[in-house]
Amino acid sequence: MRSPRRRGPPLARQPNRGRTVPRSSRSPVLLLAAAALVAASIVAPAVAPASRAEAAVSTSRLAGADRYATSVAVSRATPARNEVVFLVSGVKFPDALAAAPVAARERAHLLLTHPDRVPDSVMRELARLEPAEIVIVGSEASISDAVRQQLWDSTGARLTRIGGRDRVETSLLLLERLERADPMTRAWLVSGRDFPDALVAASVAGATGGGIVLSWHGTGPGDAAAWADRLAPYVIGVPLVVAGGTPSVPSSDVALLEARGALDTVRLAGANRYETAIAINRAFPPAGDPSSILLATGERFPDALSGAVLSALAGTPLYLSPSQCSGSVTPLLASVASNQGYTATIGLGSAAALSDAALRLGPC
C-alpha cells in the first residue's frame, strides 16, 4: 500500500502540475467559436439576447454528423499537444469518464471510437495529429483488438492499452498513469452505473489535478468492502469529493472510503443532474475570467465526455442542459450565465442533441 499523502485544504483550488502548462499559455476561450468553424460546418449563427436579461449574447457549436465526428470537432478546438491521443468507447461511458482527467493532465486529445472499428472521421483526425502514442482505453470487451489492428496498420503511433478486468480496475490503471507525473490533488467519487452526475466532475477533475474513482460493486456479502479495499491505496490521505446525491453514490460507499483513509469528504449534489453540474462548477470556479461556457446535453454522455478535456484545458466551464429548451432548467442556466458574466454559449453536438432554443438560454 502506498504511503499516506499530505493532507491539503478541503476544496482548495490547487494548480495543475506535472506535464500541464500554466493557464496563461492557454488559448483564449473566445477562439473556440472560431475553431468550431474549422472543425465542423454545423455552427449556429450568433443570436441577439432575448427579451429576458439572463439570455446569453451569442451561440456557436462544436458538432459533427455523429458523436464520433463531434469528438473530432472538439479535439480540433482543444488547446492540447499532439503527442498523445486517448481513444475511448463511444458507446460505454465508465472508461471514458475516468480517462478524461488523465488526458487533461497530459494535455492530450480524447477521441471516440466504435467498439469494433475507428470511424473514418476519427482516422482523419489521427492522421492530422500524427500522435506519437495512442492510448486505447478499456479492455477488448470495450474496444476490440480489431481497433488495435486498424491503428497498427494505419498509423505509426505507439499503441498502449489501459484496460482491466472490469471498469473499476480500468479506472485504477488510469490513476496509475495519472500519478506518474504527480499524485492527484483529490479523488472524485462518481457513479460507475450511470453517467449524469459524473460528467461535469470529469471536466473539473481534469482542471484541478484530480482523478476519478468509481462507485461500482456487487450486492453480495463483502462485495462493497472488497471494492473499498481495492480503492484504498489510491484514496488514503486524499480529499474526497462525491459527485451527485445518494441515489448516484450511496453514503455507505463514502463511509467505507473514509474508514480507509479518505479525507475531508464533500458531497456536491443538486436536485437533478443539471443542478449537480451547477453545484460542482460553483465549488470549483474556473481560473481567470472566461467569457464562455460549454453546454452539452445531460441526456446522453458522448458529447459531454468529448468536451471534458476541452473544458479542463481551456478553462471553460461545462454545464448540462436537457436536449430541448426546458421551462425550469433553461432559465436556471440563463441566470447562472448572467450572474457569472458569461456572454456566449458553445454547444457540444448538433441541434439533434442540443436544440437551438436550449443553446440560446432564452425563453422557450
Side-chain angles (χ1 to χ4, degrees):
M1 182 177 294
R2 302 173 184 178
S3 59
R5 300 174 174 86
R6 251 188 340 268
R7 174 172 179 155
L11 289 183
R13 177 171 279 275
Q14 302 182 31
N16 286 351
R17 298 173 289 177
R19 282 170 280 189
T20 57
V21 300
R23 285 185 183 272
S24 59
S25 66
R26 294 175 181 168
S27 301
V29 173
L30 286 178
L31 293 179
L32 295 177
L37 290 168
V38 178
S41 58
I42 307 175
V43 180
V47 295
S51 58
R52 185 160 57 220
E54 294 90 347
V57 172
S58 65
T59 66
S60 60
R61 289 186 186 273
L62 294 169
D66 55 27
R67 64 187 62 184
Y68 307 101
T70 291
S71 77
V72 170
V74 173
S75 170
R76 293 193 171 198
T78 301
R81 302 188 183 108
N82 291 357
E83 288 89 347
V84 181
V85 172
F86 283 72
L87 196 65
V88 302
S89 171
V91 299
K92 295 181 180 180
F93 75 90
D95 294 343
L97 188 72
V102 188
R105 175 71 70 91
E106 297 187 24
R107 295 192 67 82
H109 293 263
L110 185 145
L111 293 166
L112 305 183
T113 182
H114 287 291
D116 296 319
R117 65 177 178 85
V118 183
D120 291 343
S121 59
V122 175
M123 288 301 300
R124 288 192 293 270
E125 177 67 354
L126 290 172
R128 184 186 73 87
L129 294 173
E130 297 184 323
E133 181 184 17
I134 299 174
V135 181
I136 302 169
V137 180
S139 68
E140 291 182 20
S142 295
I143 299 179
S144 72
D145 194 58
V147 167
R148 187 200 64 79
Q149 188 62 50
Q150 182 182 359
L151 296 172
W152 178 264
D153 293 339
S154 305
T155 76
R158 180 174 73 258
L159 303 180
T160 303
R161 184 185 289 274
I162 298 179
R165 66 181 185 273
D166 57 28
R167 62 192 63 184
V168 171
E169 184 173 2
T170 295
S171 71
L172 297 181
L173 290 172
L174 285 162
L175 287 184
E176 291 282 355
R177 177 161 177 135
L178 184 149
E179 292 200 319
R180 289 176 195 167
D182 216 359
M184 63 182 175
T185 58
R186 55 179 50 83
W188 287 76
L189 181 62
V190 306
S191 173
R193 293 179 172 80
D194 206 1
F195 63 85
D197 292 338
L199 291 173
V200 174
S203 69
V204 175
T208 59
I212 295 291
V213 293
L214 301 178
S215 170
W216 187 83
H217 53 74
T219 58
D223 284 349
W227 161 80
D229 288 340
R230 294 172 72 184
L231 267 61
Y234 302 86
V235 302
I236 185 170
V238 176
L240 182 68
V241 184
V242 183
T246 53
S248 296
V249 181
S251 296
S252 57
D253 282 0
V254 177
L256 286 169
L257 295 186
E258 289 176 328
R260 285 157 177 79
L263 300 174
D264 302 325
T265 300
V266 174
R267 185 185 288 270
L268 299 175
N272 53 48
R273 64 194 66 183
Y274 311 106
E275 293 186 19
T276 293
I278 291 171
I280 291 172
N281 280 310
R282 183 182 296 123
F284 291 87
D289 185 25
S291 59
S292 303
I293 63 172
L294 298 172
L295 194 63
T297 177
E299 296 173 8
R300 292 179 287 179
F301 67 86
D303 295 340
L305 281 176
S306 296
V309 176
L310 169 61
S311 173
L313 295 184
T316 311
L318 172 64
Y319 288 86
L320 303 180
S321 167
S323 293
Q324 301 298 319
C325 192
S326 163
S328 58
V329 177
T330 302
L332 180 62
L333 291 169
S335 178
V336 169
S338 177
N339 291 338
Q340 298 299 320
Y342 300 125
T343 59
T345 56
I346 301 170
L348 302 179
S350 69
L354 183 70
S355 73
D356 290 338
L359 180 60
R360 284 194 299 266
L361 301 184
C364 295

